[in-house]
Amino acid sequence: MIVATIYTLCALTALLCTVLLLQAYRAGGYRLLLWSGLCFAGLTLNNALLVLDKVVFPDVDFSYWRTSTALVAMMILLYGLVWDTE
């Protein structure tokens, strides 16, 4: 029960970070906030898949999908950090 609560709180925290970063981007227009917000959107999806994998469907393996979403999220942030210039 505690594990499910912790996984869910992690997903909600990532969702909150996503919302706050994208709101700050809309208000300020700094592109790094956009890339960070998109990264956290991917991490939110990653955490939601973690909840599905470990709590809802414990006999189904979502590890490929979880790893893929985390990789794409980090690649988005890496692109924003390295190649996007203001």
Side-chain angles (χ1 to χ4, degrees):
M1 180 67 186
I2 293 178
V3 172
T5 305
I6 291 172
Y7 289 156
T8 305
L9 286 174
C10 288
L12 291 174
T13 302
L15 179 64
L16 179 65
C17 290
T18 301
V19 170
L20 291 175
L21 284 166
L22 292 178
Q23 281 180 348
Y25 168 70
R26 191 171 33 176
Y30 296 108
R31 303 257 322 197
L32 184 58
L33 291 171
L34 172 66
W35 299 119
S36 299
L38 292 176
C39 175
F40 269 93
L43 294 176
T44 301
L45 181 60
N46 182 30
N47 283 319
L49 287 172
L50 178 66
V51 171
L52 289 175
D53 188 13
K54 300 297 182 186
V55 177
V56 179
F57 304 111
D59 49 334
V60 179
D61 185 23
F62 286 103
S63 63
Y64 172 77
W65 297 105
R66 287 189 294 123
T67 306
S68 297
T69 57
L71 177 65
V72 169
M74 290 297 120
M75 287 174 57
I76 289 171
L77 183 61
L78 183 65
Y79 173 81
L81 289 171
V82 174
W83 284 289
D84 191 26
T85 59
E86 288 189 29

